Amino acid sequence: MRSSVRTPILGALTALALTVPIHAAATAATTSTTDRQPSTAGEKTTQKTSDDGFPTGRKAQLEKYVADTWHSFEAMVDPATGLPTDNIGGDLTAASRAGYTSPTNIGAYLWSTVVARDTGLITADEARERMSQTLETVEGLQRHEPSGQFYNWYDPATGDRVDVWPDDGNEVKHFLSSVDNGWLATGLLVTEEAVPALAEEAHDLRTSMDFGCYYNPAENQIRGGFWDEDPDNDAAVLDDYCDMGTDVYYTGHHYGALNTEPRMASYLGIAAGQIPARHYWGMYRTFPNDTCDWSWTETKPVGEWKTYDGERVFEGALPYRGMDIVPTWGGSMFEALMVPLFVPEDEWGPRSWGVNHPLYVQGQMEHGLDEAGYGYWGFSPSNNPAGGYREYGVDQLGLDGPGYTSDQERTDVDQPFEGCREGSEAPTEYGDGVVTPHASFLALRYKPGAALANLRKIRTDFDAYGAGGFYDAIATQSGQVSHEYLSLDQGMIMAALGNALTGDDLRHDVATDEMRSALKPLMAQEVFASAPRED
């Protein structure tokens, strides 16, 4: 699902004994009419627990991670435009900045700047200056005016739309992504709520973006995006979903699975009244289990049909290691747990997301530690330590049959689909497993002790940490490390750490009255088929 790839992607440790959960210690923040004051992020704790209630040493460790990760953003941003690059080399030199950026990258920089302010790494004045420059540049970016959506690639040094790739000169097919625009809008919403001086500017930019232009009412789902010129793609569908006055070339696919990160764009569209609420019920938890039509998927789900708001929904889950888990599309941490950095799904949907999110983390842990035996866990799209970019995940936690795999050898599991097809013997061994630190940070809310222990072990056993925090990916058998920083992955880390250290500031920024009134009633009534392992 990572935006910053040229070809879009479709669709043994134990927890430490802890005295308090990582988020239970901090009180809920409220939005004031002035910029929030930073916490005392530089004060290291020496007593048994800190003033915030964190166990000894934990707060200091989180502060170290957030300070170093922020340093990578300082290096990624072009001083002339305030735009972050897509990625930068591990040495953090300006010469190693990539020559392109995306709406997701820009959104990640905006919310990361708020985190830097709220944790005391920069002053409120510096945060405003940085974000004001970025917004001024964003206002001038070329975009698709009828929909208000932004193109996928811009030059961070100039703000110009990228028409040819800087490394090989190939033509760029100008794409407008529902996923990427969703994350930019998220960054704008955080800005709007957290920085009153910039609220009007951020609000005007955000509300000019019409997510209804991706929504296909016939399928009750959103498309992956569209091109505004003929992309020479046989799968493209010519249509106009939002009365733009002109047809565009939509992707042949929809985002049909609920538990994937494109749901952020869906949430924003529903809250804005651009997409009907019924869309929430139009996405698949799993495909139905009463036909062989879906037997190409991972395995036969458990579950039953239910009706919400007059819409029939198959409440399905996939069995994995004695648990029943609502899968993502490919089986990665990113798909499942980036959205709840901002939307309190587990609180608004205690019988759905509140059950599934911890189980998903448990599944990732058990795969890495027990099933594959890597000694480490956390599988999500990231740089490939051998070069390039790749999707990593746990095959059995994905709805797609092939799924994303956790090792370089692409070891997958061909499970049976009862009554429709036979499977194959499960693998007896796995190869060079690739873990990405951002996956552990995404798990911080749900398995704090295990996440920090995993990160500590990765840092101890490999050359996995630099001046900008954790490098992007580590191959656990060969020891190969991707010595790069990606703005998307660093942005997820900043968000997770910011929530942990500030009492969920980013969640409070995004959970506006508009978002709450539109989404909470949907999530509150749903009961997933998710179930923990019986003791």
Side-chain angles (χ1 to χ4, degrees):
M1 296 294 188
R2 180 177 175 240
S3 63
S4 304
V5 286
R6 301 188 185 182
T7 303
I9 300 166
L10 300 182
L13 294 181
T14 57
L16 299 179
L18 303 174
T19 57
V20 291
I22 202 161
H23 286 74
T27 56
T30 56
T31 302
S32 66
T33 57
T34 59
D35 292 355
R36 287 193 293 264
Q37 295 301 308
S39 68
T40 54
E43 298 174 4
K44 305 306 181 184
T45 59
T46 55
Q47 65 271 38
K48 186 173 182 181
T49 60
S50 72
D51 291 341
D52 289 336
F54 289 109
T56 304
R58 172 176 289 176
K59 184 180 179 186
Q61 185 63 77
L62 297 178
E63 289 167 348
K64 166 68 174 172
Y65 289 156
V66 77
D68 290 342
T69 306
W70 171 245
H71 186 48
S72 73
F73 269 105
E74 292 178 311
M76 281 190 282
V77 172
D78 192 290
T81 63
L83 297 182
T85 182
D86 177 81
N87 61 82
I88 193 170
D91 57 6
L92 299 181
T93 60
S96 67
R97 292 184 192 132
Y100 51 92
T101 192
S102 74
T104 291
N105 301 150
I106 299 168
Y109 173 57
L110 290 172
W111 72 62
S112 295
T113 306
V114 170
V115 170
R117 182 200 68 185
D118 288 358
T119 54
L121 296 172
I122 60 176
T123 66
D125 286 345
E126 181 181 346
R128 279 196 300 273
E129 290 171 3
R130 283 177 171 274
M131 298 170 77
S132 178
Q133 181 191 29
T134 303
L135 292 183
E136 182 179 355
T137 300
V138 171
E139 285 181 332
L141 295 179
Q142 182 179 354
R143 55 173 160 161
H144 184 250
E145 294 299 334
S147 65
Q149 298 291 298
F150 290 83
Y151 292 99
N152 236 40
W153 305 111
Y154 298 93
D155 184 334
T158 65
D160 295 336
R161 189 180 68 174
V162 174
D163 295 324
V164 295
W165 288 110
D167 54 351
D168 58 22
N170 287 334
E171 180 187 2
V172 173
K173 299 290 187 181
H174 296 301
F175 187 65
L176 299 106
S177 163
S178 53
V179 175
D180 284 272
N181 277 280
W183 291 121
L184 174 56
T186 301
L188 291 170
L189 181 54
V190 169
T191 305
E192 182 181 333
E193 295 297 313
V195 189
L198 303 176
E200 183 177 359
E201 187 176 2
H203 174 80
D204 289 347
L205 277 167
R206 181 179 64 83
T207 56
S208 69
M209 303 169 70
D210 189 349
F211 288 93
C213 296
Y214 299 112
Y215 174 70
N216 180 1
E219 295 292 333
N220 198 18
Q221 295 172 356
I222 63 172
R223 295 278 187 180
F226 60 84
W227 299 267
D228 59 353
E229 296 179 351
D230 188 350
D232 192 25
N233 184 322
D234 291 341
V237 177
L238 200 61
D239 212 330
D240 175 7
Y241 293 145
C242 60
D243 297 324
M244 289 181 279
T246 181
D247 284 346
V248 294
Y249 297 83
Y250 287 101
T251 58
H253 73 279
H254 296 82
Y255 284 127
L258 174 66
N259 192 16
T260 55
E261 60 104 1
R263 69 185 183 275
M264 191 68 204
S266 297
Y267 290 170
L268 290 162
I270 291 171
Q274 299 163 347
I275 298 175
R278 66 182 291 264
H279 168 52
Y280 187 78
W281 309 118
M283 292 176 280
Y284 292 104
R285 284 62 182 157
T286 68
F287 295 117
N289 64 2
D290 53 2
T291 174
C292 289
D293 291 347
W294 308 106
S295 61
W296 56 269
T297 58
E298 183 62 30
T299 191
K300 189 171 186 176
V302 299
E304 60 183 359
W305 288 92
K306 294 186 179 180
T307 301
Y308 305 99
D309 298 331
E311 302 285 340
R312 292 188 75 228
V313 177
F314 182 71
E315 290 290 358
L318 298 188
Y320 179 63
R321 297 182 64 83
M323 301 172 283
D324 295 330
I325 302 175
V326 174
T328 59
W329 177 249
S332 71
M333 198 79 90
F334 166 46
E335 298 169 277
L337 297 181
M338 186 175 178
V339 172
L341 292 172
F342 303 95
V343 179
E345 294 173 314
D346 40 293
E347 297 173 9
W348 292 353
R351 297 177 297 171
S352 53
W353 300 111
V355 177
N356 204 69
H357 288 333
L359 287 178
Y360 199 90
V361 175
Q362 184 67 30
Q364 283 248 340
M365 289 174 57
E366 291 193 17
H367 175 74
L369 302 179
D370 301 329
E371 185 173 41
Y374 300 134
Y376 315 86
W377 56 275
F379 311 97
S380 195
S382 67
N383 266 6
N384 184 338
Y389 185 86
R390 222 189 89 182
E391 324 88 80
Y392 297 96
V394 178
D395 178 26
Q396 302 94 306
L397 293 178
L399 189 59
D400 186 31
Y404 305 160
T405 55
S406 62
D407 62 8
Q408 298 289 53
E409 293 76 9
R410 298 187 183 269
T411 304
D412 64 354
V413 181
D414 179 22
Q415 301 184 82
F417 197 105
E418 184 183 352
C420 300
R421 62 168 172 82
E422 297 182 353
S424 303
E425 291 289 331
T428 57
E429 61 181 25
Y430 286 77
D432 197 5
V434 175
V435 295
T436 180
H438 80 251
S440 291
F441 284 102
L442 290 176
L444 195 59
R445 177 183 302 276
Y446 308 99
K447 297 283 187 179
L452 290 175
N454 192 46
L455 289 165
R456 184 165 56 248
K457 194 166 189 286
I458 289 170
R459 187 177 178 185
T460 298
D461 294 351
F462 304 99
D463 176 26
Y465 202 88
F470 283 96
Y471 296 125
D472 200 58
I474 300 95
T476 58
Q477 184 181 82
S478 65
Q480 274 191 307
V481 175
S482 172
H483 291 103
E484 290 189 9
Y485 298 107
L486 277 56
S487 56
L488 167 60
D489 298 354
Q490 297 295 87
M492 286 187 274
I493 293 172
M494 287 295 292
L497 288 168
N499 281 332
L501 287 165
T502 67
D504 279 340
D505 271 359
L506 293 184
R507 275 193 168 192
H508 292 298
D509 291 333
V510 173
T512 60
D513 289 344
E514 184 181 67
M515 293 283 280
R516 182 183 300 271
S517 62
L519 299 174
K520 185 177 180 180
L522 299 171
M523 297 179 188
Q525 61 183 301
E526 185 169 18
V527 181
F528 278 177
S530 310
R533 183 166 42 236
E534 294 184 3
D535 294 332

